[in-house]
Amino acid sequence: MPQAITKGYKALVSEAESQIETLSVEAAQALHGRDDVVFVDLRDPRELEREGRMPGAFHCPRGMLEFWIDPESPYAKPVFQEDKRFVFFCGGGWRSALAAKTAQEMGLKPVAHVAGGFTAWKKTGAPVETSAIDRKA
């Protein structure tokens, strides 16, 4: 008999978005480059290589988020101890909604996420860095 999933990803993302701030790409662009804002890229390293990066964003693979935020964790990253605003993004906005909700529940604040993620960021012509390998092609 198959598993009976009682709450799917759509419900989880919707629930998260009702509890966190969601920024449009335009609003995110207005914050980009500010000293008091940290953009957190949750994508897999392969996605970064394939799609490019947001200049200046801090890369935190989604699977490490909780461990990098918690100062008690042996994996804690100093960036998450800074008194800044944290703006999460992923490829399409689902992982970042869940991540921002989790970060907020852990006490990180203020947090937000970018609607549509890096895909939407790229589509608007916002700044993107590509690897040296990509530039040679």
Side-chain angles (χ1 to χ4, degrees):
M1 191 165 159
Q3 293 286 332
I5 301 300
T6 57
K7 186 188 281 189
Y9 78 91
K10 290 178 184 175
L12 289 169
V13 170
S14 177
E15 182 180 281
E17 287 187 329
S18 75
Q19 297 174 31
I20 59 169
E21 181 181 6
T22 300
L23 300 173
S24 67
V25 171
E26 294 75 22
Q29 284 178 308
L31 296 173
H32 188 250
R34 284 179 38 171
D35 289 340
D36 61 341
V37 178
V38 176
F39 280 83
V40 181
D41 191 338
L42 299 160
R43 295 174 301 146
D44 179 278
R46 291 177 301 252
E47 291 175 276
L48 274 64
E49 284 300 311
R50 187 174 60 240
E51 303 292 330
R53 297 173 176 252
M54 178 190 293
F58 177 74
H59 180 237
C60 173
R62 175 61 190 97
M64 293 305 294
L65 181 70
E66 294 84 350
F67 306 101
W68 286 13
I69 289 175
D70 185 351
E72 301 296 316
S73 164
Y75 303 103
K77 297 289 183 191
V79 66
F80 289 114
Q81 311 312 312
E82 297 176 13
D83 185 21
K84 297 191 177 191
R85 181 177 186 182
F86 294 88
V87 178
F88 295 91
F89 68 95
C90 60
W94 296 347
R95 289 171 287 178
S96 58
L98 298 175
K101 179 179 181 267
T102 297
Q104 187 170 275
E105 288 173 350
M106 291 180 75
L108 198 68
K109 59 186 178 189
V111 301
H113 92 113
V114 180
F118 190 72
T119 302
W121 177 267
K122 264 179 100 165
K123 279 185 184 168
T124 65
V128 173
E129 293 175 343
T130 56
S131 69
I133 296 166
D134 292 340
R135 287 193 283 265
K136 290 179 191 170

